[in-house]
Short mmCIF file of all heavy atoms in Angstrom, two decimals:
data_model
loop_
_atom_site.label_atom_id
_atom_site.label_comp_id
_atom_site.label_asym_id
_atom_site.label_seq_id
_atom_site.Cartn_x
_atom_site.Cartn_y
_atom_site.Cartn_z
N SER A 1 -14.36 -54.52 195.22
CA SER A 1 -15.82 -54.95 195.18
C SER A 1 -16.74 -54.21 196.11
O SER A 1 -16.29 -53.73 197.27
CB SER A 1 -15.90 -56.41 195.42
OG SER A 1 -17.21 -56.90 195.59
N ALA A 2 -17.99 -54.20 195.75
CA ALA A 2 -19.04 -53.56 196.80
C ALA A 2 -19.51 -54.60 197.72
O ALA A 2 -20.28 -54.29 198.68
CB ALA A 2 -20.27 -53.20 195.89
N PHE A 3 -19.01 -55.87 197.72
CA PHE A 3 -19.46 -56.98 198.47
C PHE A 3 -18.70 -57.07 199.83
O PHE A 3 -18.81 -58.05 200.51
CB PHE A 3 -19.53 -58.23 197.71
CG PHE A 3 -20.42 -58.34 196.65
CD1 PHE A 3 -20.14 -58.13 195.36
CD2 PHE A 3 -21.84 -58.58 196.96
CE1 PHE A 3 -21.16 -58.13 194.30
CE2 PHE A 3 -22.83 -58.63 195.93
CZ PHE A 3 -22.41 -58.35 194.64
N TYR A 4 -17.78 -56.18 200.10
CA TYR A 4 -16.99 -56.27 201.41
C TYR A 4 -17.53 -55.47 202.61
O TYR A 4 -16.99 -55.61 203.64
CB TYR A 4 -15.63 -55.71 201.07
CG TYR A 4 -14.80 -56.36 200.04
CD1 TYR A 4 -13.84 -55.74 199.29
CD2 TYR A 4 -15.05 -57.73 199.71
CE1 TYR A 4 -13.14 -56.30 198.23
CE2 TYR A 4 -14.34 -58.40 198.73
CZ TYR A 4 -13.40 -57.68 198.03
OH TYR A 4 -12.67 -58.21 196.89
N GLY A 5 -18.67 -54.78 202.39
CA GLY A 5 -19.11 -53.91 203.46
C GLY A 5 -19.39 -54.53 204.81
O GLY A 5 -18.84 -54.02 205.77
N PRO A 6 -20.09 -55.65 204.84
CA PRO A 6 -20.25 -56.30 206.15
C PRO A 6 -18.93 -56.76 206.81
O PRO A 6 -18.84 -56.59 208.10
CB PRO A 6 -21.09 -57.54 205.93
CG PRO A 6 -21.85 -57.10 204.56
CD PRO A 6 -20.93 -56.28 203.89
N PHE A 7 -18.00 -57.21 206.05
CA PHE A 7 -16.69 -57.49 206.65
C PHE A 7 -16.05 -56.25 207.38
O PHE A 7 -15.45 -56.37 208.41
CB PHE A 7 -15.74 -58.07 205.58
CG PHE A 7 -14.34 -58.39 206.07
CD1 PHE A 7 -14.03 -59.67 206.56
CD2 PHE A 7 -13.32 -57.42 206.09
CE1 PHE A 7 -12.76 -60.02 206.88
CE2 PHE A 7 -12.03 -57.83 206.50
CZ PHE A 7 -11.78 -59.08 206.88
N ARG A 8 -16.13 -55.11 206.72
CA ARG A 8 -15.53 -53.93 207.29
C ARG A 8 -16.32 -53.55 208.58
O ARG A 8 -15.71 -52.99 209.46
CB ARG A 8 -15.52 -52.81 206.29
CG ARG A 8 -14.51 -53.20 205.14
CD ARG A 8 -14.51 -52.15 204.04
NE ARG A 8 -13.59 -52.51 202.95
CZ ARG A 8 -13.63 -52.11 201.74
NH1 ARG A 8 -14.47 -51.12 201.47
NH2 ARG A 8 -12.79 -52.53 200.82
N ASP A 9 -17.61 -53.85 208.64
CA ASP A 9 -18.33 -53.71 209.88
C ASP A 9 -17.78 -54.50 211.03
O ASP A 9 -17.62 -54.10 212.07
CB ASP A 9 -19.78 -53.95 209.78
CG ASP A 9 -20.62 -53.04 208.79
OD1 ASP A 9 -20.00 -51.90 208.56
OD2 ASP A 9 -21.65 -53.36 208.26
N ALA A 10 -17.49 -55.76 210.60
CA ALA A 10 -16.94 -56.84 211.58
C ALA A 10 -15.67 -56.37 212.18
O ALA A 10 -15.38 -56.59 213.37
CB ALA A 10 -16.87 -58.15 210.94
N LEU A 11 -14.85 -55.80 211.35
CA LEU A 11 -13.40 -55.38 211.78
C LEU A 11 -13.38 -53.94 212.22
O LEU A 11 -12.35 -53.49 212.71
CB LEU A 11 -12.38 -55.72 210.81
CG LEU A 11 -12.12 -57.15 210.45
CD1 LEU A 11 -10.86 -57.31 209.65
CD2 LEU A 11 -12.05 -58.05 211.69
N GLU A 12 -14.35 -53.24 211.78
CA GLU A 12 -14.44 -51.74 212.08
C GLU A 12 -13.16 -51.11 211.44
O GLU A 12 -12.41 -50.45 212.13
CB GLU A 12 -14.52 -51.42 213.53
CG GLU A 12 -15.81 -51.89 214.12
CD GLU A 12 -15.92 -51.76 215.60
OE1 GLU A 12 -14.85 -51.94 216.33
OE2 GLU A 12 -17.00 -51.38 216.14
N SER A 13 -12.90 -51.53 210.17
CA SER A 13 -11.69 -51.17 209.47
C SER A 13 -11.75 -50.41 208.14
O SER A 13 -10.95 -50.60 207.29
CB SER A 13 -10.80 -52.50 209.33
OG SER A 13 -11.48 -53.33 208.45
N ALA A 14 -12.88 -49.79 207.99
CA ALA A 14 -13.11 -49.13 206.65
C ALA A 14 -12.11 -48.00 206.49
O ALA A 14 -11.57 -47.35 207.42
CB ALA A 14 -14.47 -48.43 206.60
N PRO A 15 -11.64 -47.77 205.21
CA PRO A 15 -10.74 -46.73 204.97
C PRO A 15 -11.12 -45.34 205.53
O PRO A 15 -12.33 -44.99 205.38
CB PRO A 15 -10.61 -46.67 203.50
CG PRO A 15 -11.06 -48.00 202.94
CD PRO A 15 -12.12 -48.37 203.90
N LYS A 16 -10.22 -44.58 206.00
CA LYS A 16 -10.59 -43.27 206.56
C LYS A 16 -10.58 -42.27 205.40
O LYS A 16 -11.19 -41.18 205.70
CB LYS A 16 -9.54 -42.86 207.57
CG LYS A 16 -9.33 -43.74 208.73
CD LYS A 16 -10.60 -43.81 209.59
CE LYS A 16 -10.40 -44.53 210.94
NZ LYS A 16 -9.98 -45.97 210.79
N PHE A 17 -10.14 -42.53 204.33
CA PHE A 17 -10.34 -41.63 203.16
C PHE A 17 -10.20 -42.44 201.84
O PHE A 17 -9.61 -43.51 201.79
CB PHE A 17 -9.19 -40.56 203.22
CG PHE A 17 -7.83 -41.16 202.78
CD1 PHE A 17 -7.39 -41.20 201.53
CD2 PHE A 17 -7.06 -41.70 203.84
CE1 PHE A 17 -6.16 -41.74 201.21
CE2 PHE A 17 -5.84 -42.19 203.67
CZ PHE A 17 -5.38 -42.26 202.29
N GLY A 18 -10.89 -42.05 200.83
CA GLY A 18 -10.75 -42.63 199.53
C GLY A 18 -11.22 -44.11 199.44
O GLY A 18 -12.17 -44.40 200.17
N ASP A 19 -10.78 -44.81 198.45
CA ASP A 19 -11.12 -46.25 198.39
C ASP A 19 -9.87 -47.05 198.13
O ASP A 19 -8.73 -46.54 198.30
CB ASP A 19 -12.17 -46.29 197.16
CG ASP A 19 -11.61 -45.68 195.89
OD1 ASP A 19 -10.42 -45.85 195.63
OD2 ASP A 19 -12.40 -45.06 195.13
N LYS A 20 -10.03 -48.31 197.67
CA LYS A 20 -8.97 -49.17 197.51
C LYS A 20 -8.71 -49.50 196.10
O LYS A 20 -7.96 -50.56 195.78
CB LYS A 20 -9.16 -50.48 198.33
CG LYS A 20 -9.38 -50.25 199.87
CD LYS A 20 -9.36 -51.49 200.63
CE LYS A 20 -9.40 -51.16 202.07
NZ LYS A 20 -9.38 -52.34 202.97
N LYS A 21 -9.11 -48.60 195.15
CA LYS A 21 -8.95 -49.05 193.76
C LYS A 21 -7.60 -48.90 193.12
O LYS A 21 -7.37 -49.29 192.01
CB LYS A 21 -9.94 -48.14 192.98
CG LYS A 21 -11.38 -48.39 193.26
CD LYS A 21 -12.41 -47.57 192.49
CE LYS A 21 -13.83 -47.89 192.74
NZ LYS A 21 -14.75 -46.96 191.97
N THR A 22 -6.61 -48.30 193.87
CA THR A 22 -5.25 -48.23 193.33
C THR A 22 -4.56 -49.51 193.65
O THR A 22 -3.43 -49.72 193.07
CB THR A 22 -4.46 -47.05 193.89
OG1 THR A 22 -4.32 -47.23 195.35
CG2 THR A 22 -5.23 -45.72 193.66
N TYR A 23 -5.06 -50.43 194.47
CA TYR A 23 -4.37 -51.74 194.70
C TYR A 23 -5.31 -52.86 194.46
O TYR A 23 -4.92 -53.92 194.00
CB TYR A 23 -3.71 -51.77 196.03
CG TYR A 23 -4.47 -51.31 197.26
CD1 TYR A 23 -5.07 -52.26 198.13
CD2 TYR A 23 -4.54 -49.96 197.58
CE1 TYR A 23 -5.76 -51.76 199.26
CE2 TYR A 23 -5.14 -49.50 198.71
CZ TYR A 23 -5.82 -50.40 199.53
OH TYR A 23 -6.42 -50.09 200.72
N GLN A 24 -6.57 -52.79 194.77
CA GLN A 24 -7.52 -53.91 194.41
C GLN A 24 -7.95 -53.78 192.88
O GLN A 24 -7.89 -52.70 192.35
CB GLN A 24 -8.66 -53.90 195.31
CG GLN A 24 -8.37 -54.17 196.75
CD GLN A 24 -9.59 -54.15 197.73
OE1 GLN A 24 -10.70 -53.86 197.28
NE2 GLN A 24 -9.31 -54.47 198.91
N MET A 25 -8.29 -54.87 192.34
CA MET A 25 -8.52 -54.88 190.87
C MET A 25 -9.80 -54.35 190.40
O MET A 25 -10.84 -54.40 191.11
CB MET A 25 -8.32 -56.32 190.39
CG MET A 25 -7.00 -56.87 190.44
SD MET A 25 -6.94 -58.64 189.89
CE MET A 25 -7.78 -58.53 188.39
N ASN A 26 -9.82 -53.88 189.12
CA ASN A 26 -10.97 -53.34 188.44
C ASN A 26 -11.91 -54.58 188.07
O ASN A 26 -11.51 -55.47 187.43
CB ASN A 26 -10.50 -52.62 187.20
CG ASN A 26 -11.68 -52.11 186.40
OD1 ASN A 26 -12.86 -52.37 186.58
ND2 ASN A 26 -11.29 -51.15 185.46
N PRO A 27 -13.12 -54.48 188.57
CA PRO A 27 -14.11 -55.71 188.25
C PRO A 27 -14.25 -55.99 186.76
O PRO A 27 -14.70 -57.04 186.37
CB PRO A 27 -15.35 -55.24 188.84
CG PRO A 27 -15.06 -54.33 190.02
CD PRO A 27 -13.78 -53.49 189.52
N ALA A 28 -13.87 -54.98 185.88
CA ALA A 28 -14.01 -55.21 184.43
C ALA A 28 -12.96 -56.13 183.87
O ALA A 28 -12.97 -56.58 182.69
CB ALA A 28 -13.91 -53.82 183.67
N ASN A 29 -11.77 -56.50 184.67
CA ASN A 29 -10.66 -57.06 183.97
C ASN A 29 -10.54 -58.53 184.36
O ASN A 29 -10.67 -58.98 185.51
CB ASN A 29 -9.41 -56.30 184.51
CG ASN A 29 -9.37 -54.95 184.04
OD1 ASN A 29 -10.13 -54.44 183.19
ND2 ASN A 29 -8.38 -54.19 184.49
N THR A 30 -10.17 -59.32 183.23
CA THR A 30 -9.99 -60.66 183.37
C THR A 30 -8.45 -60.96 183.15
O THR A 30 -7.92 -61.68 183.92
CB THR A 30 -10.78 -61.45 182.20
OG1 THR A 30 -12.08 -61.23 182.53
CG2 THR A 30 -10.41 -62.93 182.32
N ARG A 31 -7.83 -60.44 182.09
CA ARG A 31 -6.49 -60.75 181.79
C ARG A 31 -5.54 -60.25 182.92
O ARG A 31 -4.55 -60.94 183.21
CB ARG A 31 -6.01 -60.05 180.46
CG ARG A 31 -6.64 -60.65 179.17
CD ARG A 31 -6.32 -59.93 178.00
NE ARG A 31 -7.04 -60.51 176.82
CZ ARG A 31 -7.29 -59.88 175.66
NH1 ARG A 31 -6.91 -58.57 175.58
NH2 ARG A 31 -7.89 -60.50 174.68
N GLU A 32 -5.85 -59.27 183.63
CA GLU A 32 -5.13 -58.72 184.63
C GLU A 32 -5.05 -59.71 185.82
O GLU A 32 -4.00 -59.95 186.50
CB GLU A 32 -5.74 -57.38 185.08
CG GLU A 32 -4.89 -56.74 186.21
CD GLU A 32 -5.49 -55.51 186.75
OE1 GLU A 32 -6.71 -55.14 186.42
OE2 GLU A 32 -4.79 -54.71 187.52
N ALA A 33 -6.23 -60.49 185.96
CA ALA A 33 -6.16 -61.55 186.98
C ALA A 33 -5.17 -62.62 186.65
O ALA A 33 -4.47 -63.15 187.49
CB ALA A 33 -7.61 -62.15 187.09
N LEU A 34 -5.00 -62.85 185.39
CA LEU A 34 -4.00 -63.94 184.95
C LEU A 34 -2.54 -63.38 185.21
O LEU A 34 -1.75 -64.21 185.59
CB LEU A 34 -4.30 -64.32 183.54
CG LEU A 34 -5.57 -65.09 183.24
CD1 LEU A 34 -5.76 -65.17 181.73
CD2 LEU A 34 -5.60 -66.50 183.83
#
């Protein structure tokens, strides 16, 4: 999600490279959540 930015400011823990899309879920998917 794009809504995690302030949390990463709080922990100063943003990824040093890339993103988290290979383990966090695609916002388009419902069945995958089930």
Side-chain angles (χ1 to χ4, degrees):
S1 172
F3 290 102
Y4 301 150
F7 178 91
R8 292 173 185 166
D9 292 343
L11 293 193
E12 299 174 320
S13 63
K16 300 298 191 295
F17 69 91
D19 54 40
K20 300 191 176 187
K21 292 180 180 179
T22 65
Y23 47 102
Q24 294 178 359
M25 287 178 51
N26 184 341
N29 293 355
T30 298
R31 290 175 180 160
E32 186 181 9
L34 291 172

